[in-house]
Amino acid sequence: MKIAVMGAGAVGCYYGAMLARAGHDVTLIGRPAHVDAVNRDGLLLEFGGTQQYIEMNASADAAAIAGAGLVLFCVKSTDTNDAGAQIKPFLAPDTIVMSLQNGVDNAERLSAVIGLPVIPTVVYVATSMEGPGHVKHHGRGELVIGQSAQSDKVAETLRPAHIPVEISDNAEGALWAKMILNCAYNALSAISQMPYGRLVQGEGIWDVMRNAVDECLAVAKGCGVTVPGDVWGAIEKIAETMPGQYSSTAQDLARGKTSEIDFLNGYIVRKGAELGIPTPTNLALHAMTKLRESRD
Ligand SMILES: NC(=O)C1=CN([C@@H]2O[C@H](COP(=O)(O)OP(=O)(O)OC[C@H]3O[C@@H](n4cnc5c(N)ncnc54)[C@H](OP(=O)(O)O)[C@@H]3O)[C@@H](O)[C@H]2O)C=CC1
Ligand SMILES: CC(C)(CO)C(=O)C(=O)O
Protein backbone atom coordinates (compact mmCIF):
# COMPACT_ATOMS: atom_id res chain seq x y z
CA MET A 1 0.00 0.00 0.00
CA LYS A 2 1.32 3.45 -0.89
CA ILE A 3 1.59 5.65 2.21
CA ALA A 4 1.74 9.45 2.05
CA VAL A 5 2.75 11.88 4.78
CA MET A 6 1.29 15.37 4.62
CA GLY A 7 3.72 17.63 6.50
CA ALA A 8 7.34 16.50 6.34
CA GLY A 9 8.31 17.79 9.78
CA ALA A 10 9.44 16.17 13.02
CA VAL A 11 6.48 13.81 13.40
CA GLY A 12 5.81 13.13 9.71
CA CYS A 13 9.45 12.41 8.86
CA TYR A 14 9.85 10.10 11.86
CA TYR A 15 6.81 7.92 11.12
CA GLY A 16 7.46 8.11 7.37
CA ALA A 17 11.04 6.93 7.97
CA MET A 18 9.93 4.03 10.19
CA LEU A 19 7.47 2.87 7.53
CA ALA A 20 9.92 3.27 4.62
CA ARG A 21 12.56 1.40 6.66
CA ALA A 22 10.08 -1.46 6.97
CA GLY A 23 9.74 -1.62 3.17
CA HIS A 24 6.64 0.53 2.53
CA ASP A 25 6.35 2.84 -0.46
CA VAL A 26 6.32 6.22 1.35
CA THR A 27 5.90 9.70 -0.13
CA LEU A 28 6.56 12.79 1.97
CA ILE A 29 4.83 16.09 1.14
CA GLY A 30 6.76 19.00 2.59
CA ARG A 31 8.56 22.27 2.08
CA PRO A 32 11.11 22.53 -0.78
CA ALA A 33 14.25 22.56 1.42
CA HIS A 34 13.30 19.23 3.07
CA VAL A 35 12.04 17.74 -0.18
CA ASP A 36 15.24 18.59 -2.05
CA ALA A 37 17.42 17.08 0.70
CA VAL A 38 15.35 13.85 0.82
CA ASN A 39 15.34 13.47 -2.96
CA ARG A 40 19.11 14.06 -3.08
CA ASP A 41 20.35 11.95 -0.14
CA GLY A 42 17.36 10.14 1.36
CA LEU A 43 15.93 11.04 4.78
CA LEU A 44 18.51 11.03 7.56
CA LEU A 45 17.02 9.31 10.62
CA GLU A 46 18.88 9.59 13.94
CA PHE A 47 17.58 6.91 16.25
CA GLY A 48 19.05 5.42 19.43
CA GLY A 49 22.57 6.67 18.70
CA THR A 50 22.54 5.44 15.08
CA GLN A 51 22.23 7.38 11.82
CA GLN A 52 20.69 5.95 8.67
CA TYR A 53 19.74 7.46 5.29
CA ILE A 54 16.39 6.10 4.19
CA GLU A 55 15.27 6.36 0.59
CA MET A 56 11.76 7.57 -0.07
CA ASN A 57 9.83 9.84 -2.40
CA ALA A 58 9.35 13.49 -1.51
CA SER A 59 7.47 16.32 -3.17
CA ALA A 60 6.42 19.88 -2.43
CA ASP A 61 3.28 19.28 -4.49
CA ALA A 62 0.23 17.85 -2.70
CA ALA A 63 -0.69 16.04 -5.95
CA ALA A 64 2.00 13.47 -5.06
CA ILE A 65 -0.48 12.10 -2.52
CA ALA A 66 -2.58 10.61 -5.35
CA GLY A 67 -2.89 6.83 -5.13
CA ALA A 68 -2.09 6.63 -1.41
CA GLY A 69 -4.10 4.08 0.57
CA LEU A 70 -3.05 5.65 3.88
CA VAL A 71 -2.30 9.30 4.64
CA LEU A 72 -0.57 10.40 7.83
CA PHE A 73 -1.59 14.03 8.31
CA CYS A 74 1.19 15.67 10.36
CA VAL A 75 1.04 19.46 9.97
CA LYS A 76 0.64 21.81 12.95
CA SER A 77 -2.95 22.53 14.06
CA THR A 78 -2.67 26.03 12.56
CA ASP A 79 -2.22 24.48 9.07
CA THR A 80 -4.96 21.82 9.21
CA ASN A 81 -7.51 23.62 7.07
CA ASP A 82 -5.11 24.84 4.36
CA ALA A 83 -3.18 21.56 4.10
CA GLY A 84 -6.47 19.61 4.14
CA ALA A 85 -7.79 21.68 1.22
CA GLN A 86 -4.55 21.01 -0.69
CA ILE A 87 -4.79 17.20 -0.39
CA LYS A 88 -8.57 16.91 -0.86
CA PRO A 89 -8.53 16.66 -4.71
CA PHE A 90 -6.05 13.75 -4.56
CA LEU A 91 -7.82 11.52 -2.03
CA ALA A 92 -9.93 8.49 -3.06
CA PRO A 93 -13.19 7.68 -1.24
CA ASP A 94 -11.49 4.75 0.51
CA THR A 95 -8.21 6.48 1.44
CA ILE A 96 -7.54 6.04 5.16
CA VAL A 97 -6.60 9.37 6.76
CA MET A 98 -5.05 9.70 10.23
CA SER A 99 -4.49 12.97 12.10
CA LEU A 100 -1.19 12.72 14.02
CA GLN A 101 -1.51 16.09 15.75
CA ASN A 102 -1.86 17.63 19.19
CA GLY A 103 -5.09 19.42 20.12
CA VAL A 104 -8.52 17.81 20.25
CA ASP A 105 -10.36 19.05 17.18
CA ASN A 106 -7.96 18.41 14.26
CA ALA A 107 -9.59 15.15 13.11
CA GLU A 108 -13.02 16.80 13.09
CA ARG A 109 -11.78 19.94 11.28
CA LEU A 110 -9.84 17.91 8.72
CA SER A 111 -12.78 15.60 8.11
CA ALA A 112 -15.01 18.62 7.42
CA VAL A 113 -12.50 19.94 4.85
CA ILE A 114 -11.77 16.68 2.99
CA GLY A 115 -15.23 15.09 3.29
CA LEU A 116 -13.79 11.77 4.54
CA PRO A 117 -13.58 10.18 7.99
CA VAL A 118 -10.34 10.90 9.84
CA ILE A 119 -8.89 8.67 12.57
CA PRO A 120 -7.87 10.79 15.59
CA THR A 121 -4.43 9.72 16.79
CA VAL A 122 -2.60 10.54 20.01
CA VAL A 123 1.13 10.77 19.34
CA TYR A 124 3.48 9.88 22.20
CA VAL A 125 6.84 10.69 20.68
CA ALA A 126 9.61 13.27 20.99
CA THR A 127 11.26 14.12 17.67
CA SER A 128 12.83 17.20 16.10
CA MET A 129 14.08 18.37 12.72
CA GLU A 130 17.81 18.95 12.98
CA GLY A 131 18.13 20.36 9.45
CA PRO A 132 16.68 19.82 5.97
CA GLY A 133 15.83 16.15 5.52
CA HIS A 134 17.26 15.25 8.95
CA VAL A 135 14.99 14.00 11.74
CA LYS A 136 16.09 13.03 15.27
CA HIS A 137 14.19 10.69 17.58
CA HIS A 138 14.49 11.64 21.27
CA GLY A 139 12.11 9.12 22.82
CA ARG A 140 8.97 6.99 22.76
CA GLY A 141 6.93 6.55 19.55
CA GLU A 142 3.64 4.88 20.39
CA LEU A 143 0.29 5.86 18.90
CA VAL A 144 -3.21 5.57 20.33
CA ILE A 145 -5.81 5.55 17.58
CA GLY A 146 -9.56 5.87 17.66
CA GLN A 147 -11.94 3.01 16.84
CA SER A 148 -13.03 2.89 13.20
CA ALA A 149 -13.74 0.33 10.49
CA GLN A 150 -10.14 0.85 9.31
CA SER A 151 -8.33 0.87 12.67
CA ASP A 152 -7.38 -2.83 12.66
CA LYS A 153 -5.92 -2.50 9.15
CA VAL A 154 -3.95 0.58 10.24
CA ALA A 155 -2.57 -1.21 13.31
CA GLU A 156 -1.59 -4.25 11.18
CA THR A 157 0.31 -1.93 8.82
CA LEU A 158 2.10 0.11 11.48
CA ARG A 159 3.02 -2.47 14.11
CA PRO A 160 5.49 -4.48 11.98
CA ALA A 161 7.29 -1.17 11.31
CA HIS A 162 8.07 -0.95 15.06
CA ILE A 163 5.34 1.60 15.66
CA PRO A 164 3.38 0.45 18.73
CA VAL A 165 -0.34 1.09 18.21
CA GLU A 166 -3.19 0.84 20.70
CA ILE A 167 -6.77 1.04 19.45
CA SER A 168 -8.82 2.86 22.06
CA ASP A 169 -12.51 3.49 22.50
CA ASN A 170 -11.52 6.72 24.26
CA ALA A 171 -8.88 8.24 21.97
CA GLU A 172 -10.73 11.53 22.32
CA GLY A 173 -10.27 11.43 26.11
CA ALA A 174 -6.56 10.60 25.63
CA LEU A 175 -6.22 13.61 23.28
CA TRP A 176 -7.84 15.75 25.94
CA ALA A 177 -5.47 14.43 28.64
CA LYS A 178 -2.51 15.42 26.45
CA MET A 179 -4.01 18.82 25.65
CA ILE A 180 -4.65 19.54 29.34
CA LEU A 181 -0.98 18.86 30.05
CA ASN A 182 -0.14 21.27 27.22
CA CYS A 183 -2.54 23.86 28.71
CA ALA A 184 -0.68 23.60 32.03
CA TYR A 185 2.87 23.95 30.68
CA ASN A 186 3.10 25.29 27.15
CA ALA A 187 2.01 28.91 27.60
CA LEU A 188 3.95 29.38 30.85
CA SER A 189 7.14 28.03 29.30
CA ALA A 190 6.56 30.21 26.22
CA ILE A 191 5.84 33.45 28.11
CA SER A 192 8.79 32.98 30.48
CA GLN A 193 11.06 31.21 27.95
CA MET A 194 11.96 28.82 30.76
CA PRO A 195 12.28 25.02 30.88
CA TYR A 196 9.85 23.10 33.08
CA GLY A 197 12.22 22.46 36.01
CA ARG A 198 12.85 26.16 36.58
CA LEU A 199 9.35 27.19 35.64
CA VAL A 200 7.62 25.25 38.42
CA GLN A 201 9.87 26.89 41.04
CA GLY A 202 8.31 30.27 40.23
CA GLU A 203 6.09 31.83 42.90
CA GLY A 204 2.45 30.78 42.44
CA ILE A 205 3.16 28.73 39.28
CA TRP A 206 1.72 25.44 40.60
CA ASP A 207 -1.45 27.34 41.59
CA VAL A 208 -1.74 28.86 38.10
CA MET A 209 -1.28 25.42 36.57
CA ARG A 210 -3.83 23.87 38.94
CA ASN A 211 -6.41 26.57 38.08
CA ALA A 212 -5.81 26.10 34.34
CA VAL A 213 -6.20 22.32 34.70
CA ASP A 214 -9.40 22.59 36.78
CA GLU A 215 -10.91 24.84 34.08
CA CYS A 216 -9.90 22.34 31.37
CA LEU A 217 -11.47 19.46 33.29
CA ALA A 218 -14.70 21.44 33.73
CA VAL A 219 -14.81 22.16 29.98
CA ALA A 220 -14.04 18.50 29.15
CA LYS A 221 -16.94 17.46 31.39
CA GLY A 222 -19.18 20.03 29.68
CA CYS A 223 -18.19 18.48 26.32
CA GLY A 224 -19.14 15.02 27.63
CA VAL A 225 -15.52 13.81 27.51
CA THR A 226 -14.13 11.39 30.09
CA VAL A 227 -10.47 12.25 30.59
CA PRO A 228 -8.64 9.01 31.45
CA GLY A 229 -5.87 8.53 34.02
CA ASP A 230 -4.43 10.71 36.75
CA VAL A 231 -4.15 14.01 34.85
CA TRP A 232 -2.61 16.01 37.69
CA GLY A 233 -0.17 13.20 38.57
CA ALA A 234 1.02 13.16 34.93
CA ILE A 235 1.49 16.92 35.04
CA GLU A 236 3.58 16.76 38.22
CA LYS A 237 5.74 14.06 36.61
CA ILE A 238 6.63 16.22 33.58
CA ALA A 239 8.56 18.73 35.70
CA GLU A 240 10.50 15.86 37.32
CA THR A 241 11.18 13.83 34.18
CA MET A 242 11.76 16.68 31.67
CA PRO A 243 13.29 19.51 33.77
CA GLY A 244 15.39 20.85 30.88
CA GLN A 245 12.60 20.78 28.28
CA TYR A 246 11.04 23.92 26.77
CA SER A 247 7.46 23.53 25.51
CA SER A 248 6.88 23.31 21.76
CA THR A 249 5.10 26.67 22.11
CA ALA A 250 8.22 28.20 23.70
CA GLN A 251 10.32 26.78 20.85
CA ASP A 252 7.93 28.09 18.19
CA LEU A 253 8.01 31.60 19.69
CA ALA A 254 11.79 31.55 20.05
CA ARG A 255 11.99 30.77 16.29
CA GLY A 256 9.46 33.50 15.42
CA LYS A 257 6.86 30.91 14.33
CA THR A 258 3.13 30.92 14.96
CA SER A 259 2.38 28.50 17.80
CA GLU A 260 -0.52 26.08 18.32
CA ILE A 261 -1.73 28.03 21.37
CA ASP A 262 -5.11 28.83 19.71
CA PHE A 263 -5.74 25.07 19.75
CA LEU A 264 -4.60 24.56 23.36
CA ASN A 265 -5.57 27.22 25.97
CA GLY A 266 -7.37 29.10 23.17
CA TYR A 267 -9.56 26.07 22.49
CA ILE A 268 -10.51 25.83 26.17
CA VAL A 269 -11.45 29.53 26.19
CA ARG A 270 -13.65 29.18 23.06
CA LYS A 271 -15.36 25.99 24.30
CA GLY A 272 -15.80 27.45 27.78
CA ALA A 273 -17.51 30.52 26.30
CA GLU A 274 -19.85 28.28 24.25
CA LEU A 275 -20.75 26.22 27.33
CA GLY A 276 -20.94 29.11 29.81
CA ILE A 277 -17.96 27.77 31.82
CA PRO A 278 -15.54 30.46 33.10
CA THR A 279 -11.92 29.98 32.02
CA PRO A 280 -10.07 33.08 33.33
CA THR A 281 -6.70 31.38 33.81
CA ASN A 282 -6.66 29.88 30.32
CA LEU A 283 -7.82 33.24 28.93
CA ALA A 284 -4.85 35.02 30.55
CA LEU A 285 -2.35 32.34 29.46
CA HIS A 286 -3.68 32.43 25.90
CA ALA A 287 -3.72 36.25 25.72
CA MET A 288 -0.18 36.60 27.09
CA THR A 289 1.17 33.97 24.69
CA LYS A 290 -0.51 35.78 21.76
CA LEU A 291 1.07 39.05 22.89
CA ARG A 292 4.49 37.43 23.01
CA GLU A 293 3.85 35.81 19.60
CA SER A 294 3.05 39.21 18.08
CA ARG A 295 6.34 40.77 19.24
CA ASP A 296 8.87 41.62 16.54
N1 LIG B 1 7.53 17.09 17.43
C1 LIG B 1 7.07 16.30 18.37
O1 LIG B 1 7.86 15.65 19.11
C2 LIG B 1 5.60 16.13 18.58
C3 LIG B 1 4.65 16.84 17.86
N2 LIG B 1 3.31 16.57 18.02
C4 LIG B 1 2.30 17.25 17.24
O2 LIG B 1 2.39 16.78 15.90
C5 LIG B 1 1.99 17.81 14.98
C6 LIG B 1 3.13 18.06 14.00
O3 LIG B 1 4.21 18.58 14.75
P1 LIG B 1 5.71 18.64 14.20
O4 LIG B 1 5.98 17.51 13.30
O5 LIG B 1 6.58 18.84 15.40
O6 LIG B 1 5.65 19.99 13.35
P2 LIG B 1 6.69 20.49 12.24
O7 LIG B 1 6.49 21.96 12.12
O8 LIG B 1 8.05 19.94 12.51
O9 LIG B 1 6.18 19.75 10.92
C7 LIG B 1 5.14 20.17 10.08
C8 LIG B 1 5.75 20.39 8.72
O10 LIG B 1 4.70 20.50 7.76
C9 LIG B 1 5.02 21.59 6.90
N3 LIG B 1 3.79 22.05 6.26
C10 LIG B 1 2.76 22.73 6.78
N4 LIG B 1 1.81 22.95 5.85
C11 LIG B 1 2.27 22.40 4.71
C12 LIG B 1 1.75 22.31 3.40
N5 LIG B 1 0.56 22.83 3.07
N6 LIG B 1 2.50 21.69 2.44
C13 LIG B 1 3.71 21.16 2.75
N7 LIG B 1 4.25 21.20 3.98
C14 LIG B 1 3.53 21.81 4.95
C15 LIG B 1 5.64 22.61 7.82
O11 LIG B 1 6.33 23.60 7.12
P3 LIG B 1 6.38 25.13 7.75
O12 LIG B 1 6.99 25.00 9.10
O13 LIG B 1 7.23 25.84 6.74
O14 LIG B 1 4.98 25.61 7.79
C16 LIG B 1 6.56 21.70 8.64
O15 LIG B 1 7.76 21.45 7.93
C17 LIG B 1 1.65 19.03 15.84
O16 LIG B 1 0.27 19.07 16.10
C18 LIG B 1 2.43 18.77 17.14
O17 LIG B 1 1.86 19.41 18.26
C19 LIG B 1 2.88 15.60 18.87
C20 LIG B 1 3.77 14.89 19.61
C21 LIG B 1 5.18 15.12 19.57
C1 LIG C 1 4.64 17.15 26.59
C2 LIG C 1 5.09 18.55 26.19
C3 LIG C 1 4.60 19.54 27.20
C4 LIG C 1 6.58 18.37 26.21
O1 LIG C 1 7.29 19.49 26.00
C5 LIG C 1 4.54 18.91 24.84
O2 LIG C 1 3.72 18.17 24.32
C6 LIG C 1 4.86 20.16 24.12
O3 LIG C 1 5.90 20.76 24.34
O4 LIG C 1 4.03 20.57 23.27
Side-chain angles (χ1 to χ4, degrees), residues 7 9-11 31 74 76 86 100 102 125 127 178 257 260:
V11 166
R31 301 300 187 196
C74 304
K76 292 272 178 109
Q86 283 173 23
L100 277 70
N102 281 346
V125 79
T127 52
K178 192 164 187 211
K257 292 182 76 174
E260 291 182 300

Side-chain angles (χ1 to χ4, degrees), residues 79-148:
D79 294 322
T80 294
N81 290 29
D82 287 351
Q86 283 173 23
I87 62 170
K88 179 181 159 79
F90 309 106
L91 298 171
D94 61 349
T95 307
I96 305 169
V97 182
M98 301 169 68
S99 152
L100 277 70
Q101 298 168 285
N102 281 346
V104 297
D105 69 346
N106 280 297
E108 194 184 332
R109 287 193 295 126
L110 177 59
S111 179
V113 173
I114 63 176
L116 291 177
V118 175
I119 303 177
T121 306
V122 198
V123 187
Y124 295 105
V125 79
T127 52
S128 60
M129 290 309 289
E130 300 291 302
H134 178 181
V135 65
K136 184 169 182 182
H137 176 260
H138 301 279
R140 298 185 67 172
E142 62 275 23
L143 303 178
V144 174
I145 69 174
Q147 294 271 9
S148 78

Side-chain angles (χ1 to χ4, degrees), residues 58-252:
S59 175
D61 184 353
I65 232 162
L70 172 64
V71 174
L72 310 186
F73 191 79
C74 304
V75 299
K76 292 272 178 109
S77 306
T78 43
D79 294 322
T80 294
N81 290 29
D82 287 351
Q86 283 173 23
I87 62 170
K88 179 181 159 79
F90 309 106
L91 298 171
D94 61 349
T95 307
I96 305 169
V97 182
M98 301 169 68
S99 152
L100 277 70
Q101 298 168 285
N102 281 346
V104 297
D105 69 346
N106 280 297
E108 194 184 332
R109 287 193 295 126
L110 177 59
S111 179
V113 173
I114 63 176
L116 291 177
V118 175
I119 303 177
T121 306
V122 198
V123 187
Y124 295 105
V125 79
T127 52
S128 60
M129 290 309 289
E130 300 291 302
H134 178 181
V135 65
K136 184 169 182 182
H137 176 260
H138 301 279
R140 298 185 67 172
E142 62 275 23
L143 303 178
V144 174
I145 69 174
Q147 294 271 9
S148 78
Q150 313 285 9
S151 295
D152 284 332
K153 188 174 174 188
V154 167
E156 282 160 22
T157 305
L158 301 190
R159 283 179 187 143
H162 301 284
I163 302 173
V165 179
E166 179 194 327
I167 302 173
S168 166
D169 55 11
N170 191 18
E172 191 190 14
L175 276 172
W176 270 84
K178 192 164 187 211
M179 183 182 69
I180 294 173
L181 191 147
N182 292 135
C183 286
Y185 279 103
N186 284 37
L188 284 167
S189 174
I191 296 160
S192 64
Q193 287 293 312
M194 279 188 195
Y196 305 145
R198 272 173 60 206
L199 178 70
V200 296
Q201 288 170 29
E203 192 179 335
I205 292 299
W206 282 115
D207 293 335
V208 174
M209 286 168 62
R210 183 93 230 186
N211 289 347
V213 169
D214 287 347
E215 291 171 15
C216 292
L217 289 170
V219 173
K221 194 171 168 198
C223 291
V225 174
T226 305
V227 183
D230 173 8
V231 176
W232 186 251
I235 287 169
E236 284 181 323
K237 245 193 196 143
I238 286 280
E240 279 167 36
T241 55
M242 306 171 89
Q245 179 76 23
Y246 292 77
S247 72
S248 57
T249 311
Q251 295 177 48
D252 286 337

